[in-house]
Amino acid sequence: MAIAAVGQITSTASLSHNLEQCVRLIAKAAAGGAKVLFLPEASDYIASSPQESLSLAQPQSKSPFVLGLQEAAKAHSVAISVGIHVPTDVPAEIAGAAAAKDAKLLNRLLWINADGTINHAATYDKLHLFNLGAARESATIQAGTSLTAPFHTPVGRVGGLICFDLRFPEPALALTHPGPNSPFVDPAVGPAQILLYPSAFTIPTGQAHWETLLQARAIETQSWVFAAAQVGAHHPKRSSYGHSLVIDPWGQVRLELGGVDADGRAEEGAEGAIGFVDVDLEQWATVRERMPLTRRT
């Protein structure tokens, strides 16, 4: 078995503040013997408006947040899974006000190896966007176009998804129980043993559905599920539910971090919290052996 860590933060519009939170967690992960640290969606920043979000995003190769994480990963020999924002490319023939109007971001899940390099083949851009009431993720985010094939990590084969993807079982099943001609899974690698759902769930949807949905994905895919979550108030208009969870292939909760109080503020100890789990891949194999799921539809 290998140890994985889950970190929980409260991102703001300050990239330097958010980087400091993450670097502290990387050091704690290394001290706890973890091979990998899983961080939430939008760890680089959570802005107070679409305009601010667009202004804060930087190309991945130049982002001080990403570069800082790469340095920390190398310094502590810990791999990192982290959610960031990345500007999309606007066609060169579009300029000025038109370019600004068409500008969008990608909500990206990035894998940084323990030597500080980026595994570009593991990059995943969020497919399903959250549009509920006044919260319109599609105002600034461009949906991804495809799943990313599972890939090897120090704790097992990982399949990456993000937040609102959790409400759709099909991507999880495609990564963990692929058909014989699946375009998403390399037969030489195999299906995902671990599903990731880095998130920034709202408090109402978190209270109603968070744990239930994560357990459902773990049970129906017979996989480990790691869900690193944002927690607490990002700015006066937005708070996240927290309660980062790790669930095993039998649907049992193996780790839960803290949440928020009645005012939407992080409970004591919830912001900057970290937890550790031994990832038992023998359990993954045993669950599948004892209860084979042969799909007929």
Side-chain angles (χ1 to χ4, degrees), residues 19-65:
L19 177 60
E20 289 173 2
Q21 292 186 80
C22 293
V23 169
R24 285 195 294 270
L25 288 173
I26 294 166
K28 291 180 179 179
K35 299 295 184 182
V36 176
L37 171 64
F38 296 106
L39 291 169
E41 175 186 29
S43 288
D44 54 348
Y45 67 83
I46 290 181
S48 59
S49 69
Q51 295 75 20
E52 184 179 40
S53 186
L54 289 166
S55 71
L56 290 172
Q58 300 183 44
Q60 182 176 300
S61 61
K62 299 179 181 179
S63 166
F65 179 84

Side-chain angles (χ1 to χ4, degrees), residues 152-235:
H152 290 294
T153 79
V155 293
R157 295 188 299 270
V158 164
L161 297 164
I162 300 174
C163 200
F164 199 59
D165 290 329
L166 177 58
R167 294 187 178 273
F168 303 87
E170 295 86 357
L173 290 167
L175 294 173
T176 57
H177 285 276
N181 300 311
S182 170
F184 304 118
V185 177
D186 182 349
V189 176
Q193 298 163 309
I194 301 166
L195 288 173
L196 306 184
Y197 288 103
S199 297
F201 251 57
T202 69
I203 294 174
T205 58
Q207 291 171 334
H209 301 145
W210 173 244
E211 185 171 336
T212 300
L213 284 169
L214 289 168
Q215 285 186 298
R217 296 296 87 83
I219 293 167
E220 70 197 3
T221 66
Q222 301 175 309
S223 304
W224 283 91
V225 169
F226 278 72
Q230 294 275 354
V231 65
H234 309 289
H235 52 76

Side-chain angles (χ1 to χ4, degrees), residues 76-94:
H76 294 283
S77 297
V78 174
I80 303 165
S81 172
V82 61
I84 62 170
H85 300 84
V86 179
T88 58
D89 293 326
V90 177
E93 62 270 17
I94 300 177

